[in-house]
Amino acid sequence: MLPELGQFALILALLLALAQCVLPMIGAWRGNAALIATARPIATGQFVFVALAFGVLTYAFLTQDFSVRYVAQNSNLALPWYYRFSAVWGAHEGSLLLWVLILDVWTLALAAFSRRLPDAFIARVLGVLGFVSLGFLAFTIFTSNPFVRHLPALADGADLNPILQDPGLIMHPPMLYMGYVGFSVAFAFAIAALLGGELDVAWIRWARPWTNVAWAFLTLGITLGSWWAYYVLGWGGWWFWDPVENASFMPWLVGTALIHSQAVTEKRGSFRAWTLLLSIFAFSLSLLGTFLVRSGVLTSVHAFASDPKRGLFILAFLTLVVGGSLTIYALRAPKVAGGKPFQMLSRETLLLINNLLFACAAAMVLLGTLYPLIGDALGVGRISVGPPYFGFMFVLLMLPVVLLIPFGPFFRWAAGDWRATLRVLAPALALAVVCALMASLLVGVPSVRGIAGVAASLWVGIGIALYALKRWREAPRGRRYTQEMLGMIAAHFGVAIFLAGVLVTEATSVESDVRMAPGETKHIAGLDFKFNGVAAAQGPNFRAQQGVIEVSRDGKIISTLNPQKRQYSGNAPVQTKADIQPGLFRDVYVALGESLDDKGAWAVRIYVKPFVRWIWLGGLLMMLGGFVAATDRRFRALPARIEAPATRPALATTETALAQ
């Protein structure tokens, strides 16, 4: 009866979500302290029941309860226990339950760590999160119930998708969802501020650490996803501009603009409208990503489901959330403008350019992702948009961002001294260009793109290092580096390392598809690859043909790689499992193709990829910067009071109308 207990827990969580989105809102509207006080206990109760349902589903997988249809479809008796655990979110129904659980984790954390915030304000925030939870719980129960029975119980299950039988499944989706769902907190803060009329900067200070943590988790999730795709799919790439990859990248781009915009609003009172709008769009794009993954409207290797009915439900919910929030924003927009004036050459201007470029980049990715649907609707066919479009347009939009990054910290608020900044940064730019040219001669970077990558990386890295040195020399001891400043420095260093990894790898990678017979040696990129044939291998739930390839330099063996072609149970297609010799400065990557004849010859794909690890190292540094910035003690300081705007009566009237 445990699955029925899990379903009952979901129903109770749905009822609590309904109460959470109604009672605290009414309490904040009416000024009823008793109803306001219900927000935290209801949020806690909802978390308990969703966690109970998730625990029941996990137990069903670990005990191989094939009377549960979802378990029977995504597990079998041969599946190792650790993949049974991650199979809980390996398909649509379970991943959706994980989505709801993580939303409740964020809600519970907000309820626990917001005791110093005004009760009415936090009641509205939790009410908005309750509305989001209500939508996803209804979607889970009515269209995607993971506890539907298969009676009589099957003797064995169908197996988890072989591509997902990898440690990447254990780490990547939870981290990605923590970022996706985390933007709901920034969204809830923005909507609560609009509903209550708290349009001063106080709510921004409270929202900033939550937004930084969500952005850091999303950065980590995207980084893990890129690393997973690199080593598990066998094609040697780290990003393909797949629709589902884009679905996670768009909220990251808008979230990056949001954390910078929040900084300006909190410190200077400017960009209020930008901050509110970006808060809405970051979460809206997270919902759009959920729609793309689950609707089947776009083809992707990452998609969880292809059920139009489910897609229609999410589309309706997305329309309600986006349309409703933008309506509220439009009603409040005339009251939002304000902030201290600033000159053309100032830190505010640079951050405004940053906002515009990141927003344009997100719009560009959105257009390219949805263009097949647009073309289909216009009757011109489903025209696909691939890496040439995304690569060219993204580089074009991000080039000014890279050029301006070192200037930002040196410029002052309101008015920057561009002459003094140029005196400091001009030598850094010259040094970056000279070092890039020297590297091209000494190491052999063969293209303009590679030289530009080295120069851009050094430009950003040296610029940020000079700023850190300036703070060390000029700032009083004990105030040299705040956590926010350290986070900024780490994140921007991450950008520098990421740039080096991407552009140097793209410029210098060697890719070769060769025919190799047993005993044959190929010389590629200064290395010798000797093919010693293929032998049978047995895994816990698969059979494999495993190649043996010795990698040597100047006659000395440096590695033996064992790429595989795996056959899992049932009718699953054969999976390619590459083998990699990792290194800080170079990866050697080998994947088996197809058997070519009965004499043991195989097609072999060989890659030598310099600096590819720097892509993920840069991502991890950016993630670390987000987490460090979120710990700044200033964000935990509560302002003395919230200054009610002069337009409060009009706002209250609108809030009354919306509540009714």
Side-chain angles (χ1 to χ4, degrees), residues 55 82 99 108 201 349 473-474 513 586 598 611-612 614 657:
Y82 39 89
W99 209 105
L108 183 67
V201 300
T349 300
R473 288 176 174 174
E474 298 178 3
D513 292 314
R586 182 202 61 198
D598 56 3
F611 284 81
V612 69
W614 288 39

Side-chain angles (χ1 to χ4, degrees), residues 537-550:
Q538 182 66 48
N541 63 332
F542 64 85
R543 301 185 308 276
Q545 292 176 297
Q546 178 172 289
V548 180
I549 299 176
E550 292 180 354

Side-chain angles (χ1 to χ4, degrees), residues 11 34 57 265 383 497:
I11 294 171
L57 186 61
T265 304
I383 301 173
I497 293 173

Side-chain angles (χ1 to χ4, degrees), residues 180-268:
Y180 258 166
V181 181
F183 283 127
S184 65
V185 177
F187 170 79
F189 269 101
I191 298 301
L194 288 168
L195 287 175
E198 288 93 352
L199 297 177
D200 58 5
V201 300
W203 74 271
I204 297 291
R205 178 179 296 181
W206 305 329
R208 285 191 67 191
W210 299 95
T211 308
N212 275 275
V213 170
W215 180 87
F217 271 120
L218 186 57
T219 304
L220 177 59
I222 293 173
T223 302
L224 289 173
S226 169
W227 168 67
W228 184 16
Y230 168 74
Y231 77 80
V232 81
L233 295 180
W235 65 288
W238 59 276
W239 193 260
F240 192 65
W241 296 103
D242 176 273
V244 175
E245 290 179 335
N246 295 348
S248 63
F249 192 44
M250 289 184 289
W252 185 89
L253 290 169
V254 174
T256 303
L258 174 59
I259 59 178
H260 290 89
S261 186
Q262 284 181 337
V264 180
T265 304
E266 191 254 330
K267 295 175 186 294
R268 300 288 298 171

Side-chain angles (χ1 to χ4, degrees), residues 103-224:
L103 175 60
D104 283 340
V105 168
W106 278 100
T107 304
L108 183 67
L110 184 62
F113 296 107
S114 60
R115 300 289 179 180
R116 300 185 64 195
L117 303 188
D119 290 336
F121 183 83
I122 200 62
R124 292 189 187 95
V125 173
L126 294 176
V128 174
L129 291 174
F131 173 77
V132 176
S133 185
L134 176 67
F136 275 92
L137 280 167
F139 181 42
T140 302
I141 293 171
F142 297 119
T143 73
S144 311
N145 195 328
F147 296 109
V148 173
R149 289 285 201 169
H150 191 299
L151 299 175
L154 297 176
D156 199 357
D159 201 9
L160 179 66
N161 185 337
I163 293 179
L164 302 180
Q165 295 186 34
D166 187 90
L169 179 65
I170 301 173
M171 298 178 287
H172 168 56
M175 296 300 101
L176 193 69
Y177 285 8
M178 284 294 290
Y180 258 166
V181 181
F183 283 127
S184 65
V185 177
F187 170 79
F189 269 101
I191 298 301
L194 288 168
L195 287 175
E198 288 93 352
L199 297 177
D200 58 5
V201 300
W203 74 271
I204 297 291
R205 178 179 296 181
W206 305 329
R208 285 191 67 191
W210 299 95
T211 308
N212 275 275
V213 170
W215 180 87
F217 271 120
L218 186 57
T219 304
L220 177 59
I222 293 173
T223 302
L224 289 173

Side-chain angles (χ1 to χ4, degrees), residues 330-417:
L331 292 172
R332 298 297 198 267
K335 320 293 192 303
V336 172
K340 299 176 182 178
F342 56 89
Q343 296 181 7
M344 181 64 69
L345 291 176
S346 64
R347 189 179 296 185
E348 289 96 327
T349 300
L350 294 183
L351 291 173
L352 178 60
I353 295 172
N354 168 86
N355 282 1
L356 290 169
L357 290 171
F358 274 101
C360 288
M364 178 273 296
V365 176
L366 178 63
L367 176 63
T369 303
L370 298 182
Y371 194 79
L373 299 180
I374 298 172
D376 199 20
L378 295 176
V380 297
R382 293 176 70 92
I383 301 173
S384 62
V385 176
Y389 161 80
F390 290 111
F392 173 76
M393 292 298 296
F394 189 73
V395 170
L396 187 65
L397 289 168
M398 289 297 103
L399 181 60
V401 174
V402 172
L403 292 175
L404 293 175
I405 282 176
F407 286 95
F410 282 96
F411 269 40
R412 296 178 180 271
W413 295 109
D417 187 345

